[in-house]
Amino acid sequence: MRNYQRGWIKGDVIAGITVAAYLIPQVMAFASIVGLPAVVGLWAVLGPMAIYFVLGTSRKMSVGPESTTVLMTAAGISALVGAAGGPEHMAEVAALLAIAVGAVCLIGYVGRLGFLTRLLSRPVLVGYLLGIALLMFISQLSEVTKVETSGEQSWQEVASFFQNIHNAHIPTVLMALAVFVLLFLARWIAPKFPAPLLVLLVAAGAVAVFGLDRYDLEVIGEIPRGLPELRLPDFSTVDIWALMPYAVGIAIVGFSDNILTARAFAAEKDEPIDANQELLALGAANIANGLFQGFPVSTSGSRTVLGNTAGAKTQVHSLVVIAIVVMVLLFAGPVLESFPEAALGALVMYAAVQLIDIEELRRIARFRKSELIITAATALALTLFGVLVGIGFAIALSILDLIRRITSPYADVLGYAPGVAGMHSLDDYPDSQPVEGLVVFRYDSPIFFANADDFSARAKQAIDRSPHPIRWFLLNAEANTEMDLTAVDALEKLRVDLESQGIRFAMARVKQNLSRSLAPTGFIKSVGKQYVFTTLPTAVRAYAAEFDERYSRYPEGIPDYILNNEKPSS
């Protein structure tokens, strides 16, 4: 707030009003799914948003009830309470579950477990947003058509929708289509115009003025009243240890969704997202919700997208949402009761379209096909199986791709190119030449158990392909920052094999930490300290001196400035 700019207030206010109009019916429905009174859904917005405003690190994210964690909460409460549990019992268990989820997040914060989010790469983020866009579309199919859908998975909902599409309610479809078109027209004609809010107001006005509700258009309807009270739930209601597995699952899904959404919407402006601080914010938000008779909350991707589309600049838009929800709970409910649900559904679909970044997909495809596959797989898994499975699948695929690349990395032989200072890959410069009798080999990865055999095979392959008889094998170790014992054994075996062929094994650009880790193994001693060099030029000069001593001439392929220890001419 110290750096808040006056020009941001318009976007934050409009975004807050727009998000609130969508949020109010949504969270009321979420509370019903959990088995709680609809008003509890509105209560579950107030504490989390206020706490995230203070503790969170994302400017755009909208916290509160979210579909995946709501479904997991409903399943957990059903298993813990059973058929005999009444509404009061369910409310106590829901509040305790929220506190338990918060405790799990706080344990993660104390343990600094936020580092695990480093496994979420840029292709995973792009795929996540694409998957969220598809899920947002699917979630609104019933809202914009009044076609009843069924199924636990999104693909089942889509199949059910097309099976029953003949039951589509034409006035609802026309209302949604009109709002959808108006939103795109407004964006095209006046990009800075607060289109989402004004189009919603126009739709609500049309329903009220022209009596469109006589065509069975669904509106938000009556909104419950009353504010929550602060109280500690009864911990004897349920076995806490039986509660914890559900809390851990909800916390993992909630935090994964939280950090992915935060990073995705911070990417454009390079805003810092502190994963550990996000754990603290999410933990405190859930504990507060439990104390205000709520249920576990996380991040809503759809509301975040909606706020971003409507012009949200900072978390001030969440304060606007809080203010509107409080007003609705006290006296302003009738203002929103005439908002048509078809218009809200069309607005969500419009916001989903904004998430699909075609240019970014093209950039990923141009860079590396494997990363495009990760993006597509993330979106597909998220759409078909939900957030938890989708994110887990994407992380596993990213790790497999990383292992594939580091177990068979780029490797090349270096030489000198005319007019270019330093040693470079022979493949990169067609007119470059290797040094006579010297193989300078670079392996672009740490060497460890998974690629030690590959390293040895490609090193020998480089020697076999040399046009000259080889006297020295020089390992340029600048990229080999780490080695395990398997790698040291592989290097020692390679050194012994080369020595039996009369080839000297030498190393250059060995970093101090690598040298210290190799010293206790005896490998440096086996190589000989005089054959471990700090730079490539010193290694090449040492080789040239030995070659000259034996053949009374310098080897071909070494520039004069190397032999004379001079700076290269420009």
Side-chain angles (χ1 to χ4, degrees):
M1 291 301 295
R2 288 194 297 268
N3 300 316
Y4 195 83
Q5 298 178 22
R6 184 178 297 178
W8 294 347
I9 190 67
K10 176 183 175 182
D12 281 334
V13 169
I14 291 172
I17 297 171
T18 306
V19 170
Y22 172 66
L23 169 147
I24 288 169
Q26 185 190 52
V27 298
M28 288 165 57
F30 285 161
S32 300
I33 291 172
V34 176
L36 302 174
V39 71
V40 176
L42 296 174
W43 293 349
V45 171
L46 304 177
M49 280 195 166
I51 285 175
Y52 192 84
F53 175 83
V54 177
L55 297 179
T57 60
S58 169
R59 295 185 179 184
K60 302 290 185 69
M61 201 153 60
S62 178
V63 298
E66 180 271 333
S67 58
T68 305
T69 51
V70 161
L71 292 173
M72 294 178 71
T73 299
I77 291 175
S78 177
L80 292 165
V81 174
E88 292 185 2
H89 191 191
M90 295 180 72
E92 292 291 318
V93 174
L96 287 171
L97 190 55
I99 292 174
V101 169
V104 171
C105 292
L106 291 183
I107 291 170
Y109 167 73
V110 172
R112 316 303 289 173
L113 298 182
F115 75 91
L116 294 173
T117 61
R118 295 170 188 169
L119 297 174
L120 304 173
S121 63
R122 178 64 182 167
V124 168
L125 292 178
V126 175
Y128 170 79
L129 288 179
L130 184 57
I132 288 293
L134 295 173
L135 287 176
M136 288 171 65
F137 252 90
I138 294 168
S139 70
Q140 299 304 310
L141 290 176
S142 292
E143 301 296 329
V144 299
T145 61
K146 289 183 71 173
V147 172
E148 294 292 333
T149 60
S150 59
E152 295 183 0
Q153 303 293 345
S154 56
W155 66 268
Q156 294 171 327
E157 287 188 54
V158 173
S160 174
F161 172 77
F162 282 107
Q163 287 172 0
N164 299 295
I165 197 170
H166 58 278
N167 295 325
H169 186 244
I170 300 303
T172 299
V173 173
L174 291 175
M175 168 62 77
L177 185 62
V179 169
F180 198 66
V181 171
L182 281 174
L183 287 167
F184 275 101
L185 278 175
R187 184 186 177 202
W188 178 48
I189 296 171
K192 296 184 178 180
F193 198 65
L197 176 60
L198 292 179
V199 171
L200 280 182
L201 291 172
V202 168
V207 171
V209 172
F210 299 108
L212 298 181
D213 51 349
R214 69 178 184 272
Y215 296 108
D216 293 328
L217 281 173
E218 297 285 345
V219 294
I220 290 178
E222 185 178 354
I223 297 173
R225 308 288 192 269
L227 293 174
E229 296 179 357
L230 177 66
R231 69 176 180 84
L232 193 66
D234 184 0
F235 281 81
S236 64
T237 305
V238 67
D239 181 2
I240 297 299
W241 293 111
L243 191 79
M244 289 310 295
Y246 299 99
V248 171
I250 293 170
I252 291 172
V253 172
F255 177 62
S256 300
D257 203 8
N258 185 91
I259 201 67
L260 273 167
T261 304
R263 285 181 56 184
F265 283 90
E268 292 182 3
K269 295 186 177 180
D270 198 27
E271 297 165 0
I273 299 297
D274 186 333
N276 286 309
Q277 184 71 15
E278 289 297 311
L279 277 169
L280 174 62
L282 190 60
N286 274 284
I287 289 175
N289 226 21
L291 297 177
F292 282 102
Q293 304 125 67
F295 51 89
V297 296
S298 176
T299 299
S300 171
S302 59
R303 296 198 299 269
T304 303
V305 176
L306 198 58
N308 184 64
T309 303
K313 302 297 182 184
T314 70
Q315 280 297 326
V316 168
H317 87 278
S318 293
L319 296 185
V320 176
V321 173
I322 293 172
I324 292 173
V325 171
V326 169
M327 287 191 294
V328 165
L329 287 168
L330 293 178
F331 57 83
V335 176
L336 296 177
E337 289 174 0
S338 61
F339 272 46
E341 292 190 356
L344 289 169
L347 177 57
V348 172
M349 287 184 163
Y350 166 77
V353 172
Q354 315 309 311
L355 285 182
I356 303 173
D357 191 340
I358 300 298
E359 185 53 42
E360 182 66 9
L361 292 171
R362 287 175 178 166
R363 187 174 78 95
I364 292 173
R366 288 194 299 267
F367 177 69
R368 186 178 288 139
K369 291 295 187 291
S370 64
E371 300 209 358
L372 181 63
I373 291 172
I374 291 172
T375 301
T378 301
L380 187 62
L382 199 75
T383 306
L384 293 179
F385 306 113
V387 174
L388 181 59
V389 175
I391 293 172
F393 179 79
I395 290 174
L397 199 61
S398 297
I399 293 173
L400 286 174
D401 183 56
L402 174 64
I403 292 172
R404 177 188 64 81
R405 284 188 276 124
I406 64 177
T407 53
S408 184
Y410 185 72
D412 50 11
V413 176
L414 308 183
Y416 292 102
V420 182
M423 301 196 81
H424 301 278
S425 170
L426 299 180
D427 294 333
D428 292 343
Y429 292 88
D431 56 348
S432 60
Q433 292 183 353
V435 176
E436 180 185 358
L438 174 66
V439 167
V440 182
F441 183 71
R442 184 176 63 195
Y443 192 76
D444 290 341
S445 168
I447 307 174
F448 65 115
F449 66 92
N451 62 15
D453 289 342
D454 178 73
F455 166 80
S456 297
R458 294 170 79 176
K460 291 176 181 178
Q461 188 180 62
I463 293 171
D464 294 340
R465 289 180 176 177
S466 174
H468 307 107
I470 300 302
R471 292 186 50 78
W472 274 33
F473 174 88
L474 177 61
L475 174 62
N476 177 7
E478 61 182 317
N480 313 134
T481 54
E482 291 286 341
M483 291 188 191
D484 63 8
L485 198 57
T486 304
V488 175
D489 290 344
L491 260 67
E492 176 60 18
K493 186 176 185 304
L494 176 64
R495 186 194 68 80
V496 171
D497 290 346
L498 294 181
E499 191 175 87
S500 67
Q501 301 173 45
I503 300 173
R504 168 69 63 187
F505 183 97
M507 299 177 72
R509 303 201 69 177
V510 180
K511 294 180 172 61
Q512 288 297 320
N513 62 337
L514 178 59
S515 180
R516 283 191 293 268
S517 65
L518 289 177
T521 68
F523 180 71
I524 296 293
K525 185 177 180 181
S526 298
V527 173
K529 288 187 177 181
Q530 69 273 29
Y531 294 107
V532 178
F533 304 93
T534 56
T535 67
L536 281 176
T538 55
V540 172
R541 280 195 293 270
Y543 167 71
E546 186 178 290
F547 190 96
D548 180 47
E549 184 178 341
R550 179 166 183 177
Y551 298 105
S552 301
R553 67 177 180 86
Y554 289 125
E556 296 178 2
I558 303 179
D560 290 339
Y561 72 85
I562 294 292
L563 295 173
N564 298 326
N565 194 16
E566 298 173 350
K567 290 184 178 180
S569 58
S570 58

